[in-house]
Amino acid sequence: MSMYVTCLDLEGVLVPEIWIAFAEASGIPELRRTTRDEPDYDKLMKYRLAILKEHGLGLKEIQETIAKVDPMPGAKEFLDELRSFTQVIIISDTFYQFAGPLMKKLGYPTLFCNTLEVGENGEITGYKMRCEKSKLTTVKALQSAGFTTIAAGDSHNDLGMIEASKAGFLFRSTDAIKAEHPELQAFEEYDEFLAAIKAAMD
């Protein structure tokens, strides 16, 4: 039995998109843009931070919205079941300051993500990525440590880790990404997704 680690994206797979939830709560539609719309993460974050600054919104306001966000229906049960037969790491481009309350609701799975730079007044002044191409880099590091990876996500920035893994899946992705990658199995429901991960490990 080789050592498997399943690497999952967070937003869009286990929890709703945090920025979309905040766009709705704050009434700022421009904040609805995600990595599905803008594959260049640095460009996307600079755009978001400029909008927050313009509206005088900081970490506190975003955290208040996140506190009300729940994981997707069935996500915690899926994760509990998955963790019963494989190691799981959630690899996300989100930030520890955002993800904390959601990790509690998911039963504290392991999360690798990034860090926000926050001023004393609560203004988000910047962010620090853990490493370049964090998802792909992490999967490659796990492989070099002797693990076989299975990966899944919904977005452009997940494709690197999906393609580099023994098995990779799309979960609740867009029609455009599914059309661009017909070679990848795509799932909408957790039970089918779970069965596919199990089958990939046989």
Side-chain angles (χ1 to χ4, degrees):
M1 172 76 189
S2 67
M3 294 294 291
Y4 282 94
V5 177
T6 300
C7 301
L8 298 175
D9 176 39
L10 177 64
E11 294 178 68
V13 175
L14 298 169
V15 306
E17 292 279 353
I18 290 169
W19 286 96
I20 291 178
F22 187 64
E24 283 165 10
S26 62
I28 305 170
E30 297 90 331
L31 288 175
R32 289 184 63 91
R33 281 179 78 82
T34 68
T35 45
R36 288 173 164 199
D37 313 300
E38 173 53 78
D40 184 332
Y41 193 72
D42 194 52
K43 213 159 128 183
L44 180 64
M45 277 306 297
K46 288 187 168 127
Y47 168 82
R48 286 167 168 170
L49 296 184
I51 292 170
L52 292 178
K53 196 176 171 72
E54 185 190 323
H55 290 270
L57 297 168
L59 182 59
K60 184 171 82 72
E61 289 79 10
I62 299 180
Q63 284 176 330
E64 282 166 5
T65 297
I66 294 169
K68 301 185 192 104
V69 172
D70 285 320
M72 292 177 173
K76 183 177 186 302
E77 295 73 13
F78 161 76
L79 206 51
D80 288 346
E81 176 75 12
L82 185 62
R83 288 162 78 192
S84 75
F85 63 83
T86 175
Q87 299 295 314
V88 179
I89 298 175
I90 297 170
I91 308 176
S92 171
D93 278 338
T94 193
F95 305 95
Y96 287 114
Q97 292 96 326
F98 287 179
L102 289 160
M103 291 302 106
K104 184 178 179 182
K105 290 175 183 176
L106 286 169
Y108 296 108
T110 301
L111 170 70
F112 291 173
C113 67
N114 304 305
T115 312
L116 288 169
E117 292 163 356
V118 184
E120 281 178 21
N121 59 354
E123 183 193 338
I124 302 172
T125 53
Y127 63 96
K128 196 170 177 334
M129 299 300 269
R130 193 166 46 82
C131 55
E132 187 72 22
K133 290 194 177 138
S134 62
K135 299 185 183 200
L136 177 60
T137 304
T138 303
V139 156
K140 286 189 164 162
L142 288 165
Q143 290 167 352
S144 71
F147 292 102
T148 301
T149 61
I150 293 172
D154 70 325
S155 224
H156 291 283
N157 63 347
D158 299 310
L159 293 168
M161 71 170 179
I162 289 171
E163 287 161 356
S165 292
K166 175 180 184 267
F169 307 104
L170 293 171
F171 187 71
R172 296 189 183 165
S173 190
T174 64
D175 290 339
I177 293 175
K178 285 189 271 197
E180 282 163 31
H181 295 276
E183 75 286 1
L184 296 176
Q185 278 185 285
F187 298 99
E188 300 299 319
E189 299 305 327
Y190 288 119
D191 51 356
E192 296 168 358
F193 184 29
L194 195 65
I197 296 171
K198 264 191 174 139
M201 292 171 62
D202 285 348

